Amino acid sequence: METVALKRMLNFNVPPVKNSTGEPVWKVLIYDRFGQDIISPLLSVKELRDMGITLHLLLHSDRDAIPDVPAVYFVMPTEENIDRMCQDLRNQLYESYYLNFISAISRSKLEDIANAAIGANAVTQVAKVFDQYLNFITLEDDMFVLCNQNKELVSYRAINRPDITDTEMETIMDTIVDSLFCFFVTLGAIPIIRCSRGTAAEMVAVKLDKKLRENLRDARNSLFTGDTLGAGQFSFQRPLLVLVDRNIDLATPLHHSWTYQALVHDVLDFHLNRVNLEESAGTESSPAGARPKKKNKKSYDLTASDKFWQKHKGSPFPEVAESVQQELESYRAQEDEVKRLKGIMGIEGEDEGAISMLSDNTAKLTSAVSSLPELLEKKRLIDLHTNVATAVLEHIKSRKLDVYFEYEEKIMSKSTLDKSLLDVISDPDAGTPEDKMRLFLIYYISSAQAPSEIDLEQYKKALVDAGCNLAPLNYIKQWKAFAKMASAPTSYGNTTPKPLGLFSRVMNTGSQFVMEGVKNMVLKQQNLPVTRILDNLMEMKSNPETDDYRYFDPKMLRGSDSSVPRSKNPFQEAIVFVVGGGNYIEYQNLIDYIKGKQGKHVLYGCSELFNATQFIKQVSFVICSAVLLAWPPCVQSLSGQDLGFKSQAHQYPSQAFSKA
């Protein structure tokens, strides 16, 4: 969806012609950090080149003039960016300018550009000015996040600070709503909105409903009529938007995972679909007194074009290790076949048998040579996933992550524990201090009854002895006290992973992965709280958990405070959006859930994507106040807020410049 919009933008806002054999128009792409984050997970350098992009540069870098080439700009409409664009016009850097704004530009800033164009005598060179409404980052076909730059401004910590002012909260909500509005403009659909009451999610819902409603009312400038890019994807029925607050479930972001993608995000440096690995230093010893060798850093892109990643990102880790090994063996067999054929081609002698064998094998060799590029790509992916999976395996074995995963699953599903929690925390060989803190926080959150003061002191002492920082626990205690006043504790289902015993040997002879001692567990599908909420609302089930969720329909003339849906038909498409941050565990759980629903489709979005380390850091920094007044801060009156919004036209006519 967003890829289509970007390709259209890079083709001067004209839909690209399929199977076009002509040369593309060569151009340069100028973006800011926001634009770079949106483009990089979706389009590779090769794809950009195929679309005629010879050079892509940051707006605020030192750029030389290329006077005979058009420039496509893709930036946020900030004061700083507008000033730099005006400077480019004055310096006559390019032949023509196609200005694309990630989010809607204000009238005053548009006039600044117009004045600069007139002053530089460059009015005719400004070819097009567009609001692209692409202020969100697509990481998967069914997953998006709002931002990467300045993400701390809409983080869990920012939303839940007890000392936050109304003005600061307004700014955060406006930022989230602007991105969600962009998402639905690109999708070309007006959703039905459902949200929980008394949370930040409700504030987002109220503002988004108002913004969509006002845009629909302005028939001349409405962005939901005519040629919308997403039209057709949700053509038969409007989608459901479920807005949930991170505070409904704080255990899942802390949970140790067992699936490939979630593990990569948890233990490695995985960011905007790129994983950065430090290559382990060689065994060669450095000469005495010499500086230690620097570790090499390698980056790998894990994208939709990687077939192995697409197939296995949601698989349990031992299954992934086995699949990498199978792929490697299959590749070696193909490679050996090519070598064998090359040997046969060097046959000496003229006997008839040799000649018939030669002609027979020529066809085979030709076929093998033609499949060589495919074979090389296969080898590249095998090397990539061997390196990534090996790095993950090192963490699993050194930190006993399989033990943590299984133990946490038992805690969350209220199963019998085979070992006391105190023993796991006190075991010096099991995990890092952070792993121990995550485990204890999950236990504390999932317990219907908080441990007694005596028990808690015992646990605290064990955690401190293990090297843990108790700041996250202080926050979670406060959060749980508030959550208890608001509702019952969250339930996480009642199934546990089924151990298949240990990998007591190397998986296959000559395998890259020594899985000895690592538990091989089969995952059972159990719906996490976010998935359960979606199921209730999508299937129109009556459930105390979701019965009082507010209902908004931006197409209705009047908004209401109702919780009663107007239609009783189940939804076919839904978008789940988590205000306060999401994670790959929830995303994978939704994907697994929807696989069993014929013809249904779900997208997962969040204000930011964090792993457990980043989440614990945020929780540690939330200033805990002693008094629980209106906490979380989003539980404040929504009345009397200025929810104003002025809609912008999608494209600005060139006359704007001559009128300025």
Side-chain angles (χ1 to χ4, degrees):
M1 179 181 73
E2 196 169 25
T3 312
V4 173
L6 286 171
K7 286 183 175 178
R8 179 151 111 171
M9 178 193 83
L10 295 172
N11 199 43
F12 304 125
N13 287 298
V14 177
V17 180
K18 282 184 182 175
N19 307 322
S20 170
T21 50
E23 281 276 300
V25 177
W26 301 109
K27 48 195 161 308
V28 295
L29 171 63
I30 311 296
Y31 46 47
D32 60 0
R33 293 281 179 201
F34 288 88
Q36 186 180 32
D37 289 343
I38 292 165
I39 291 170
S40 63
L42 296 175
L43 298 171
S44 65
V45 173
K46 183 189 178 301
E47 285 172 300
L48 289 175
R49 195 159 291 133
D50 290 343
M51 284 178 275
I53 303 293
T54 55
L55 205 57
H56 41 95
L57 301 162
L58 281 164
L59 176 66
H60 293 283
S61 60
D62 292 327
R63 290 174 282 118
D64 296 325
I66 314 174
D68 54 349
V69 171
V72 176
Y73 284 73
F74 184 51
V75 297
M76 285 292 276
T78 62
E79 203 73 55
E80 194 186 6
N81 286 350
I82 302 295
D83 288 348
R84 187 59 192 259
M85 290 162 83
C86 293
Q87 193 183 317
D88 288 357
L89 289 170
R90 285 191 288 271
N91 294 342
Q92 301 279 309
L93 288 191
Y94 307 109
E95 178 191 65
S96 53
Y97 302 82
Y98 293 79
L99 308 181
N100 299 278
F101 294 102
I102 295 168
S103 208
I105 184 172
S106 67
R107 181 78 197 177
S108 63
K109 285 177 183 161
L110 190 64
E111 284 169 1
D112 290 343
I113 297 173
N115 287 326
I118 290 166
N121 199 19
V123 173
T124 54
Q125 289 170 271
V126 180
K128 285 182 182 176
V129 184
F130 265 84
D131 281 334
Q132 288 294 342
Y133 291 98
L134 292 174
N135 192 13
F136 58 96
I137 300 168
T138 303
L139 295 176
E140 306 277 348
D141 289 342
D142 42 21
M143 182 185 195
F144 68 98
V145 295
L146 293 198
C147 61
N148 176 48
Q149 301 296 320
N150 303 340
K151 62 182 176 186
E152 63 282 352
L153 299 180
V154 293
S155 65
Y156 178 84
R157 178 195 175 191
I159 295 170
N160 289 280
R161 273 174 40 220
D163 60 340
I164 192 168
T165 64
D166 285 355
T167 316
E168 287 170 328
M169 187 58 113
E170 285 287 308
T171 307
I172 294 170
M173 295 299 116
D174 287 338
T175 307
I176 293 172
V177 168
D178 178 67
S179 288
L180 280 173
F181 181 75
C182 289
F183 176 80
F184 285 105
V185 169
T186 306
L187 194 65
I190 301 280
I192 300 288
I193 305 169
R194 302 296 303 271
C195 71
S196 52
R197 292 176 182 270
T199 62
E202 184 180 19
M203 295 179 76
V204 171
V206 169
K207 280 177 172 282
L208 181 62
D209 175 61
K210 192 168 195 300
K211 192 159 184 166
L212 289 166
R213 195 181 291 279
E214 290 192 355
N215 189 262
L216 285 169
R217 245 186 244 148
D218 183 1
R220 199 166 62 87
N221 291 324
S222 176
L223 300 163
F224 295 93
T225 53
D227 178 28
T228 46
L229 290 162
Q233 187 171 356
F234 293 116
S235 52
F236 300 113
Q237 192 195 30
R238 287 166 62 195
L240 169 71
L241 169 64
V242 180
L243 289 166
V244 294
D245 194 278
R246 179 70 276 156
N247 283 312
I248 62 151
D249 172 19
L250 292 189
T252 301
L254 297 165
H255 190 20
H256 288 87
S257 175
W258 198 234
T259 55
Y260 191 26
Q261 186 176 39
L263 264 169
V264 167
H265 189 232
D266 189 7
V267 304
L268 303 178
D269 177 12
F270 183 49
H271 187 65
L272 295 180
N273 293 351
R274 173 168 290 184
V275 62
N276 298 304
L277 292 182
E278 275 194 354
E279 287 189 321
S280 49
T283 50
E284 303 167 28
S285 57
S286 304
R291 284 184 182 177
K293 283 185 180 176
K294 274 189 179 177
K295 285 187 176 180
N296 288 334
K297 281 200 169 185
K298 274 210 163 182
S299 295
Y300 301 105
D301 290 322
L302 301 173
T303 59
S305 59
D306 183 337
K307 287 175 187 169
F308 185 90
W309 176 249
Q310 288 306 308
K311 187 178 176 185
H312 294 290
K313 64 186 180 188
S315 305
F317 184 75
E319 211 176 281
V320 174
E322 216 164 309
S323 299
V324 172
Q325 189 58 33
Q326 285 166 5
E327 290 283 322
L328 186 61
E329 283 164 11
S330 152
Y331 166 76
R332 281 177 180 157
Q334 285 174 279
E335 193 181 41
D336 290 345
E337 177 64 9
V338 173
K339 283 178 183 170
R340 190 182 69 79
L341 290 170
K342 280 164 81 177
I344 290 170
M345 294 301 278
I347 286 173
E348 289 178 12
E350 296 291 323
D351 63 273
E352 281 179 30
I355 290 165
S356 67
M357 193 190 283
L358 187 69
S359 61
D360 188 33
N361 283 304
T362 304
K364 284 185 184 174
L365 187 63
T366 307
S367 162
V369 168
S370 65
S371 67
L372 209 55
E374 194 184 316
L375 206 59
L376 289 170
E377 176 61 11
K378 193 174 185 181
K379 175 76 166 72
R380 185 186 73 81
L381 292 179
I382 290 167
D383 288 347
L384 185 163
H385 288 286
T386 300
N387 292 342
V388 172
T390 303
V392 170
L393 183 59
E394 281 172 15
H395 282 274
I396 291 173
K397 290 167 85 170
S398 66
R399 291 162 56 185
K400 296 191 178 174
L401 297 185
D402 49 334
V403 175
Y404 276 94
F405 167 71
E406 189 181 22
Y407 202 91
E408 286 165 8
E409 287 278 311
K410 284 179 178 174
I411 289 172
M412 290 162 81
S413 59
K414 311 279 190 287
S415 304
T416 314
L417 303 175
D418 51 359
K419 193 178 182 183
S420 89
L421 182 60
L422 216 50
D423 288 349
V424 180
I425 294 170
S426 306
D427 182 351
D429 299 325
T432 62
E434 188 185 272
D435 291 324
K436 295 174 195 290
M437 179 51 82
R438 282 165 66 177
L439 173 66
F440 183 71
L441 291 178
I442 288 170
Y443 164 73
Y444 193 89
I445 290 165
S446 306
S447 307
Q449 200 66 43
S452 67
E453 278 304 313
I454 298 165
D455 287 349
L456 190 58
E457 284 309 313
Q458 245 188 319
Y459 285 126
K460 278 183 172 180
K461 185 182 180 307
L463 288 165
V464 170
D465 290 346
C468 298
N469 171 11
L470 295 182
L473 176 59
N474 297 334
Y475 174 81
I476 295 294
K477 271 177 76 178
Q478 191 172 336
W479 169 83
K480 188 160 173 104
F482 181 84
K484 204 171 182 183
M485 290 193 290
S487 63
T490 307
S491 154
Y492 292 90
N494 54 6
T495 57
T496 50
K498 196 176 175 187
L500 289 181
L502 297 178
F503 277 110
S504 54
R505 58 185 176 82
V506 176
M507 281 185 316
N508 291 326
T509 315
S511 167
Q512 302 271 352
F513 303 102
V514 183
M515 300 287 285
E516 194 166 349
V518 175
K519 293 188 178 187
N520 181 18
M521 286 167 284
V522 173
L523 301 181
K524 284 189 178 178
Q525 172 61 22
Q526 60 182 55
N527 290 344
L528 292 173
V530 168
T531 307
R532 215 171 45 243
I533 288 166
L534 171 78
D535 182 50
N536 291 339
L537 296 173
M538 202 172 179
E539 301 295 338
M540 292 291 178
K541 293 177 181 174
S542 178
N543 189 300
E545 196 175 16
T546 52
D547 282 349
D548 72 334
Y549 268 49
R550 285 190 69 179
Y551 177 94
F552 298 87
D553 183 351
K555 282 193 174 181
M556 297 303 295
L557 282 172
R558 271 196 182 82
S560 72
D561 192 24
S562 168
S563 295
V564 183
R566 294 177 61 83
S567 165
K568 297 291 180 192
N569 295 331
F571 288 87
Q572 296 302 307
E573 287 94 10
I575 297 105
V576 178
F577 186 83
V578 187
V579 178
N583 53 75
Y584 281 110
I585 302 174
E586 269 171 357
Y587 163 68
Q588 192 56 51
N589 194 250
L590 280 168
I591 299 308
D592 292 341
Y593 157 79
I594 212 69
K595 275 178 190 167
K597 306 279 178 184
Q598 194 83 37
K600 301 211 171 193
H601 185 53
V602 168
L603 301 175
Y604 178 76
C606 48
S607 48
E608 65 164 330
L609 190 64
F610 45 52
N611 61 19
T613 303
Q614 293 158 341
F615 185 56
I616 276 200
K617 200 175 280 184
Q618 286 198 36
V619 162
S620 303
F621 284 126
V622 175
I623 307 157
C624 297
S625 64
V627 186
L628 279 170
L629 289 175
W631 190 92
C634 49
V635 188
Q636 294 168 6
S637 168
L638 294 168
S639 61
Q641 292 177 340
D642 174 23
L643 301 171
F645 159 72
K646 186 151 183 352
S647 66
Q648 299 284 347
H650 205 165
Q651 182 186 7
Y652 298 99
S654 306
Q655 299 92 290
F657 292 98
S658 52
K659 283 179 187 172

